Amino acid sequence: MRWEVGTEVPEGSGNSQVSLVAPGFVRLVGGDSPCSGSVEVYDRDQWKAVCHSHFGAKAAEVVCRELQCGTALSVHGAAQLGEGAGPVWDRELQCVGNESVLSFCPMRAPKDKACTHATHVNCTRFRLVNGSTACEGRVEVEVLGTWGTLCASRWDLSDAHVLCRHLGCGFAESIPGGGHFGRGTGPVWRDSFHCDGTEAHLGQCPVTALGASPCSQESAAAVICSGPAHHMSVRLVVGGSRCDGRVEVFQHGTWGRVVDEQWDMQEASVVCRQLQCGEAEAAYTPVRAEQGRGPVGLRGVRCAGQEADLSLCNTSLPESTLAAGVMEDVGVVCQGSRRVRLVDRAGRCAGRVEIYYQGRWGTVCDDAWDLADAAVVCHQLGCGGAVEAAGSARFGEGSGQIWLDGVNCSGAEAALWDCPAKAWGQHDCRHKEDAGVICSEFMALRLENSDGCSGRLQVFYNGTWGSVCSNSMTTETVSLVCKELGCGNEGELETDSNYAKLSGTTWLDRVECGKRNSSFWQCPSALWHPQSCDDRREETNITCNERPQVAACPNSMRCTGRELPLRVPPSPGRAVPAVPVPWEVSASPDREKIRTVEGKDGCSGRVEIWHRGAWGTLCNNAWDMRDAEVACRQLGCGPAVYALGQAAAGEGTGPMWLMECRGTELSLQDCWAQPGDSGACQHKADAAVHCSDPPRGRPTTSSERLSVPVVICIILGALLCLLLALLAGQVQSARARRRGSRRAGEPFPEAVYEEIAYSLAWEKQARFSLSDVPVLPGGNPVDGYDDAGEVSDPGEDPVPGQGDWEVPRTPEEGAGPKDTATGRSLHSQRSAGDSGAEGDTLSPFLVHMGYDDVEEVSLACPHEDTQDVTPEPRAQVSQSPRPAEPSPAKQVGAAAREESSVPLGEP
């Protein structure tokens, strides 16, 4: 990617892509670091490319020296020049090599040489000295024009691999100590690099110096690299480490692809052995996206598996064998590719534990996770001891594979995968159980006040907040604190004039930041000590010149208030030149902190990021395809198609940021960044992106997403409506049944009289109609009845509650005939009698039904619609006359509580 962090731009240049510029004359643009890129000079109010044929190695040394970028690493031709390529400088440089600035070099008009290519220079601030070759020796670093020895206190193989690769020396074979390459001269830099081995140069690695111990020349960092590429050298590319990826071989001065149709573990073992990456774990064919497009360096290879390098294998296969199969790119996963990291932006030494295995990142389950397991992780990362073994996805839930479960370390293991555990990938967990750690060297910074931009300066270290003493405090220190916290570029140092003994922890004293430091974490200081000072007058209080912007959270349902009150960079410290952005520690997903606007969909447009309560844009001065890949990945929009600049999607508002990504990060918040300088970055240079996939399946942004409580309310509301509808249906059904029941209880004279007309009871009543007293079974008129009551007159109003009673439908109720249509017993009818008969008589139908206890039955009034309907009995039936006065109803037996006749209409 490009580093274009400007230090000076001549007014009126009209060029928004500002780079590291020597005042008024030279700059490097389009490189992958601040000290590499195409050479341009400022001439006649415009920047012009320098022709490669007019520029030599000595001129390159001067350029690197002038830009304070150390020494020249390489000079070669860059982009082809021609029509539409921009102006070209019409001078030829003739430098001696010892000039301090390029403008001191003699110049002349060029000879008759055709200018076809621009000049690309790679400078480096690192070199190896006192070795037998250029690829081994003591490590020296140039800072502000001064070379000094690098302290070895934190130097490891990952750092050494990055340096060897940067110097074109292969990979690191060893890191000898104890002054193996002699004593150095000059200063000893106490900076500690924290590389993971994938960086392009040491400038991309996090750097710390705060609280570091003094270092002597005998403790110098050193390395022995494998050396420059030679015939049949091997490397692995597009993997997650130097020990996994697609295989390439060096032949005829260039790197080429290896293709084969029968690539297996024998060949993979040889490649891993040649790269000193341990045993081979997998041999595979890369997916289409990882396949190469360059020349083929080796077509077909057969190894026995014991060879020392690939050149000893059979690479001269007959054409018939090569033509028999489909040749494809080949890949290897070696045991040395395993890595561990802590993620979720809490810092290099705190976060969710993830392991890189078989080419994929995965998490660790928190079953049986304790301090001994956490201690192994912290030691493996060079982060001191373990302060806390966190579980239950304390640092957010991961995704993808869960690699380890039931980890049971003793604490002495060199790597987490050396601990007893279940087999790789075997677990009974979900990502809500992801394990995390907080190590002792996790550091954070804050100003203890409600606004976060003023108050007592405190540092988090070894699991505890502690104050910072003000002895030897410089204005640069105050400025870096404010920049670190996003509170402006300047501040005021305040101290208490009254003596009082300090209570609590005071971690640091004599923090002396200077011009060479771009981060608070890189500043030299006294050693870490919990009682660095004890006088309140020495306590540091700072008020920065800006206050944080107050704005709503990008997703109010995500900002829960449970976020840690820390402001930390993604990793503590940062190498020159960028200042790390203090991203908030939060459990909210990174995709909520990025958006694209003014595009055709959610996967294209101007890129904006959320930080400290405001949306800001990215400056295109540090924007290329690697940054765009990270942005598209964070958006869930597939690979990047274009990385656009010059406000291609319109000009934004708010703060601007310069970003540097390697292309492998999960989010832009994992990349190094610094606030965009107002002189170098303006909104007319806002960066934009166009990703390959439309936002069909990607997660919505904060403005598009329905919050979880809203979704729950919608679901509950729908269920409640359904329940109310069911209840309404039940009520309507019950009302219908009640209406049907009432209608069923109403007299139906037509049907009743029709049935009675054919009833045997009417025939029996006709036989005994001439007798005053009906003859009952047994010869006694009242035989078979314990109690008898007077039956009320049919014309009398029925007693409430009696006239509607229904005879239960049970077989034992009587032997009388049933109404087959309605399922009810036939209705009782009062017997007709002479007006002069003594007493009232019971209906012969009741006698026939065999009731023992009968209460007086009220005959209901005939239905008005059936008054003219007359039953047609087989025998003539006399109708009883209506008496002048009604007789009172009287209950005639205990059985009346359970049984009663249904009223009949008057015939």
Side-chain angles (χ1 to χ4, degrees):
M1 66 162 293
R2 298 189 306 270
W3 284 65
E4 292 167 327
V5 184
T7 57
E8 180 174 341
V9 185
E11 295 183 2
S13 65
N15 195 321
S16 63
Q17 293 192 350
V18 182
S19 182
L20 198 59
V21 180
F25 195 69
V26 66
R27 71 179 183 179
L28 298 176
V29 297
D32 61 358
S33 78
C35 295
S36 67
S38 297
V39 182
E40 291 185 355
V41 297
Y42 192 75
D43 179 48
R44 299 173 187 173
D45 296 331
Q46 60 180 334
W47 288 102
K48 298 179 180 180
V50 176
C51 187
H52 179 53
S53 59
H54 304 162
F55 193 92
K58 293 182 179 179
E61 287 289 343
V62 177
V63 169
C64 292
R65 183 180 303 114
E66 182 173 357
L67 297 179
Q68 297 182 353
C69 284
T71 184
L73 189 62
S74 64
V75 184
H76 57 84
Q80 188 170 357
L81 298 174
E83 186 177 354
V88 180
W89 195 44
D90 59 352
R91 289 289 184 273
E92 182 178 343
L93 291 166
Q94 294 181 322
C95 300
V96 176
N98 59 2
E99 294 87 352
S100 59
V101 294
L102 194 65
S103 58
F104 290 172
C105 293
M107 306 176 197
R108 69 177 185 183
K111 298 178 181 178
D112 295 334
K113 293 182 180 179
C115 186
T116 59
H117 291 81
T119 303
H120 188 97
V121 172
N122 288 320
C123 306
T124 180
R125 296 190 179 96
F126 304 93
R127 68 185 183 186
L128 300 177
V129 298
N130 278 10
S132 57
T133 69
C135 291
E136 65 176 38
R138 185 178 67 252
V139 181
E140 290 192 346
V141 184
E142 187 266 348
V143 178
L144 298 179
T146 302
W147 288 93
T149 301
L150 181 66
C151 184
S153 61
R154 297 295 183 89
W155 185 251
D156 60 18
L157 270 176
S158 295
D159 306 328
H161 283 314
V162 174
L163 179 59
C164 290
R165 185 186 306 116
H166 173 59
L167 295 177
C169 291
F171 59 88
E173 293 183 339
S174 63
I175 47 173
H180 184 82
F181 293 102
R183 289 174 55 89
T185 58
V188 178
W189 309 122
R190 292 188 288 172
D191 303 64
S192 297
F193 292 88
H194 306 285
C195 307
D196 61 23
T198 63
E199 295 84 356
H201 52 82
L202 288 175
Q204 292 181 345
C205 302
V207 180
T208 58
L210 201 68
S213 302
C215 196
S216 64
Q217 289 287 354
E218 286 75 17
S219 299
V223 63
I224 297 176
C225 303
S226 61
H230 54 81
H231 181 69
M232 291 301 289
S233 290
V234 172
R235 71 179 182 182
L236 302 177
V237 297
V238 301
S241 71
R242 77 172 194 91
C243 291
D244 74 295
R246 177 167 52 81
V247 184
E248 290 189 348
V249 64
F250 191 79
Q251 284 189 331
H252 311 297
T254 186
W255 289 99
R257 300 151 52 205
V258 175
V259 295
D260 201 347
E261 84 285 359
Q262 294 183 7
W263 183 261
D264 56 23
M265 291 296 291
Q266 282 79 9
E267 289 77 29
S269 297
V270 175
V271 171
C272 293
R273 184 179 301 112
Q274 185 174 350
L275 293 173
Q276 299 183 17
C277 286
E279 297 294 326
E281 291 186 334
Y284 69 96
T285 298
V287 297
R288 183 177 299 274
E290 296 178 357
Q291 292 179 0
R293 298 292 183 270
V296 175
L298 184 61
R299 186 182 299 273
V301 59
R302 295 292 181 272
C303 301
Q306 306 302 321
E307 294 86 350
D309 59 66
L310 209 59
S311 64
L312 301 177
C313 299
N314 183 10
T315 59
S316 302
L317 301 180
E319 289 296 328
S320 58
T321 302
L322 298 178
V326 178
M327 293 290 181
E328 294 182 290
D329 288 340
V330 297
V332 169
V333 176
C334 306
Q335 193 175 51
S337 65
R338 297 179 186 178
R339 293 165 49 202
V340 65
R341 68 180 181 184
L342 302 177
V343 298
D344 202 22
R345 305 180 313 283
R348 187 182 65 88
C349 293
R352 182 177 64 251
V353 180
E354 292 191 352
I355 296 176
Y356 187 75
Y357 175 72
Q358 292 284 355
R360 290 183 295 168
W361 285 102
T363 61
V364 178
C365 183
D366 64 3
D367 291 347
W369 186 255
D370 57 20
L371 278 176
D373 309 321
V376 174
V377 174
C378 294
H379 176 74
Q380 189 174 353
L381 292 172
C383 289
V387 173
E388 180 180 349
S392 301
R394 163 82 174 277
F395 294 98
E397 296 183 13
S399 60
Q401 184 66 49
I402 298 177
W403 278 130
L404 292 180
D405 187 14
V407 179
N408 186 22
C409 303
S410 66
E413 292 85 355
L416 189 62
W417 43 83
D418 295 333
C419 302
K422 293 182 181 180
W424 287 98
Q426 293 186 7
H427 63 88
D428 56 357
C429 304
R430 291 186 292 175
H431 282 294
K432 67 180 182 180
E433 303 170 76
D434 286 344
V437 301
I438 299 177
C439 303
S440 60
E441 293 194 11
F442 165 61
M443 295 179 288
L445 188 67
R446 74 178 181 186
L447 289 174
E448 193 181 26
N449 202 342
S450 58
D451 63 2
C453 289
S454 64
R456 180 173 56 173
L457 178 62
Q458 290 193 321
V459 173
F460 188 85
Y461 178 76
N462 200 25
T464 306
W465 284 103
S467 299
V468 177
C469 306
S470 61
N471 296 312
S472 302
M473 184 76 66
T474 62
T475 57
E476 288 86 355
T477 304
V478 176
S479 177
L480 285 179
V481 167
C482 294
K483 288 180 180 179
E484 199 78 39
L485 298 177
C487 296
N489 298 325
E490 297 177 353
E492 295 182 1
L493 176 63
E494 302 172 358
T495 56
D496 196 332
S497 59
N498 299 320
Y499 171 79
K501 187 174 181 61
L502 281 175
S503 60
T505 304
T506 52
W507 274 126
L508 289 171
D509 195 9
R510 302 191 180 280
V511 181
E512 301 176 0
C513 300
K515 293 182 179 180
R516 80 178 189 93
N517 304 120
S518 61
S519 167
F520 178 81
W521 312 106
Q522 300 171 10
C523 301
S525 71
L527 297 176
W528 293 101
H529 192 278
Q531 297 297 328
S532 296
C533 58
D534 58 4
D535 189 343
R536 184 177 296 277
R537 291 175 295 181
E538 298 176 290
E539 194 172 45
T540 302
N541 290 270
I542 293 176
T543 300
C544 299
N545 63 345
E546 291 185 10
R547 294 291 183 271
Q549 295 181 347
V550 179
C553 181
N555 185 338
S556 59
M557 300 311 301
R558 287 290 183 179
C559 294
T560 61
R562 296 183 307 224
E563 291 79 13
L564 297 176
L566 316 180
R567 294 179 176 87
V568 298
S571 295
R574 177 69 174 102
V576 177
V579 177
V581 177
W583 300 107
E584 295 286 343
V585 177
S586 171
S588 61
D590 285 340
R591 61 173 51 92
E592 295 190 0
K593 296 187 177 181
I594 185 175
R595 68 182 183 185
T596 54
V597 296
E598 303 296 335
K600 65 178 182 179
D601 53 39
C603 289
S604 64
R606 184 175 65 252
V607 180
E608 295 189 354
I609 55 175
W610 177 269
H611 180 59
R612 292 190 63 81
W615 287 103
T617 62
L618 302 181
C619 184
N620 68 358
N621 292 351
W623 184 253
D624 64 5
M625 284 298 292
R626 279 183 279 189
D627 308 307
E629 285 288 348
V630 177
C632 291
R633 183 181 301 120
Q634 187 175 354
L635 288 167
C637 290
V641 179
Y642 302 113
L644 306 172
Q646 303 297 320
E651 296 184 13
T653 59
M656 298 190 69
W657 302 93
L658 284 163
M659 285 270 180
E660 178 209 352
C661 303
R662 296 192 300 271
T664 60
E665 295 87 349
L666 297 178
S667 68
L668 290 177
Q669 280 72 19
D670 295 329
C671 302
W672 288 115
Q674 75 172 24
D677 182 84
S678 59
C681 290
Q682 299 178 359
H683 284 293
K684 65 181 181 180
D686 282 341
V689 71
H690 179 72
C691 306
S692 59
D693 294 338
R696 292 188 301 268
R698 71 178 183 90
T700 57
T701 60
S702 58
S703 61
E704 301 167 335
R705 183 184 292 107
L706 285 176
S707 63
V708 173
V710 171
V711 173
I712 293 175
C713 290
I714 292 174
I715 294 174
L716 291 178
L719 292 176
L720 181 59
C721 291
L722 180 61
L723 180 60
L724 291 175
L726 292 174
L727 289 176
Q730 292 290 335
V731 170
Q732 292 294 331
S733 177
R735 288 177 178 175
R737 287 196 298 269
R738 285 199 296 273
R739 287 195 297 269
S741 176
R742 286 197 296 269
R743 293 193 185 101
E746 293 174 0
F748 293 92
E750 303 96 319
V752 169
Y753 284 118
E754 184 178 356
E755 289 295 328
I756 291 176
Y758 295 97
S759 175
L760 294 176
W762 280 100
E763 296 179 3
K764 189 172 183 178
Q765 182 180 2
R767 293 192 194 101
F768 296 99
S769 61
L770 299 178
S771 174
D772 292 338
V773 179
V775 179
L776 301 178
N780 191 340
V782 294
D783 186 21
Y785 287 88
D786 296 331
D787 297 302
E790 184 178 1
V791 180
S792 61
D793 188 273
E796 181 180 330
D797 293 337
V799 178
Q802 292 181 350
D804 292 337
W805 288 353
E806 180 181 348
V807 179
R809 286 194 307 142
T810 58
E812 293 78 6
E813 288 177 346
K818 304 283 183 178
D819 183 347
T820 57
T822 63
R824 298 193 188 117
S825 300
L826 293 175
H827 295 73
S828 60
Q829 175 70 29
R830 183 179 177 182
S831 174
D834 297 330
S835 59
E838 294 182 4
D840 294 326
T841 60
L842 292 177
S843 168
F845 179 65
L846 292 177
V847 176
H848 179 75
M849 295 294 291
Y851 281 87
D852 295 334
D853 299 317
V854 181
E855 78 173 42
E856 180 177 333
V857 180
S858 298
L859 295 177
C861 296
H863 197 281
E864 61 183 3
D865 295 335
T866 59
Q867 290 178 354
D868 297 332
V869 178
T870 304
E872 299 178 1
R874 298 174 185 174
Q876 185 178 357
V877 179
S878 302
Q879 296 186 4
S880 59
R882 293 176 65 92
E885 295 292 332
S887 301
K890 182 178 181 181
Q891 186 173 354
V892 294
R897 299 185 183 94
E898 300 293 332
E899 299 171 335
S900 175
S901 63
V902 178
L904 294 176
E906 186 176 86

